[in-house]
Amino acid sequence: MATIEELETQIAEMKRELARQQKFADMQAISQLMGRYIFYMENGLVAEVWDELFSHEDPDVRVEIMDSGAYKGQEHVKRVWYTMGGRMDKSGRMITEEEEHEMSNTWSDDPQLLLTIMLTTPLIEVSPDGLHASGQWHLFGPHTNYVFDPDTLEKKHTAFWMVGKYANEFVKEHGEWKFKSLRPIGWLRTPYDKGWLRCPDCRKTPPPYWPPDEAPRSNAWSPEEAWRPDKWYPLPPEHIAYPEE
């Protein structure tokens, strides 16, 4: 018959194994959350990112999409996704499906638009309490969009490579992982026929609505400035007429 000490040792080992399995289950759930986010973005289900994937309870939610500026708090983050998803106009007014309105960002029904996001090298860290986590992924994908051409100084439909990284935070609510903060970083947005030494960044991401809570910053790689992944970028020019809040 096992002694009390042996039973206690077995119980301790079982608890450690359960904790280990829970950590990997959490990591898998977070990976699934990221995969669902990518599916929504690639299929134009932008407003659903807020409806289904973000925390609706944490007061410190945050989103910062490339060089568009950062938005913080429940109402502002919701407004980002609803504006990009066509449920709100840039002034924050809810709109109907029948209304014609100006989209804040780049999603449209244009057949020349292509958005492909491939995630690699996941680095997920779950906190000891099992309720918070951080995650990083490299992103890569061929895109087409209506962007700036450095040769003609005009915008045109352009095929370009996107290279960058996601740096996100997550929170577990009611047993389910949600986004607390989401930040895609764009290192390269390069026309496929030019190369990144000639044109590291052919596109700027406009703020979904104006003003953001924190100033826009660029993470684009530059051969002149070398690697500065957190360098700040100037505010958008005044001729971008975003309505005030």
Side-chain angles (χ1 to χ4, degrees):
M1 182 178 294
T3 65
I4 293 178
E5 290 79 6
E6 290 172 337
L7 289 173
E8 290 177 343
T9 299
Q10 292 175 9
I11 291 172
E13 290 175 353
M14 291 175 62
K15 288 182 176 179
R16 284 194 293 269
E17 178 60 21
L18 286 173
R20 188 181 74 88
Q21 292 184 19
Q22 182 61 56
K23 179 178 180 180
F24 282 103
D26 287 333
M27 293 168 65
Q28 181 63 26
I30 291 169
S31 293
Q32 288 289 96
L33 177 64
M34 278 298 295
R36 187 171 292 275
Y37 159 76
I38 296 298
F39 177 85
Y40 285 4
M41 294 299 291
E42 289 180 340
N43 287 276
L45 304 173
V46 182
E48 284 81 350
V49 171
W50 169 260
D51 287 344
E52 300 182 18
L53 307 184
F54 257 83
S55 166
H56 292 180
E57 299 179 6
D58 194 305
D60 297 322
V61 291
R62 173 187 171 97
V63 62
E64 182 178 2
I65 302 174
M66 303 293 181
D67 47 354
S68 67
Y71 296 83
K72 301 185 292 185
Q74 289 284 321
E75 290 304 316
H76 287 195
V77 173
K78 174 183 177 180
R79 185 173 166 186
V80 165
W81 297 106
Y82 272 28
T83 307
M84 291 195 301
R87 293 191 190 175
M88 284 183 177
D89 63 19
K90 290 183 181 180
S91 67
R93 181 181 65 88
M94 294 293 293
I95 57 178
T96 66
E97 293 183 0
E98 292 75 21
E99 286 185 279
E100 292 187 3
H101 57 279
E102 183 183 4
M103 296 292 290
S104 71
N105 214 312
T106 55
W107 178 258
S108 73
D109 295 326
D110 190 330
Q112 298 188 73
L113 179 69
L114 171 68
L115 171 65
T116 305
I117 307 171
M118 291 176 276
L119 301 179
T120 63
T121 63
L123 176 60
I124 301 171
E125 297 289 343
V126 180
S127 66
D129 65 10
L131 299 177
H132 301 84
S134 62
Q136 297 183 20
W137 292 259
H138 282 98
L139 68 92
F140 173 80
H143 286 53
T144 60
N145 217 313
Y146 194 62
V147 301
F148 175 73
D149 183 340
D151 292 334
T152 64
L153 302 181
E154 297 177 349
K155 279 192 170 184
K156 69 175 186 179
H157 287 288
T158 303
F160 62 95
W161 298 109
M162 172 80 78
V163 179
K165 195 168 190 176
Y166 277 96
N168 302 335
E169 294 178 299
F170 306 91
V171 61
K172 196 174 191 180
E173 296 176 347
H174 311 293
E176 187 174 1
W177 285 99
K178 300 288 186 179
F179 283 106
K180 177 178 178 178
S181 70
L182 185 142
R183 185 188 178 201
I185 301 168
W187 290 334
L188 299 176
R189 291 177 288 192
T190 296
Y192 80 97
D193 58 340
K194 295 188 180 354
W196 49 84
L197 283 175
R198 180 178 175 189
C199 182
D201 196 0
C202 66
R203 180 174 182 262
K204 299 300 178 188
T205 305
Y209 67 89
W210 186 256
D213 296 315
E214 292 182 6
R217 54 180 171 175
S218 173
N219 301 111
W221 176 80
S222 168
E224 288 80 23
E225 298 181 359
W227 197 255
R228 294 178 54 198
D230 265 323
K231 68 181 181 180
W232 288 89
Y233 196 77
L235 290 173
E238 293 181 358
H239 69 266
I240 300 180
Y242 296 106
E244 295 184 357
E245 252 184 309

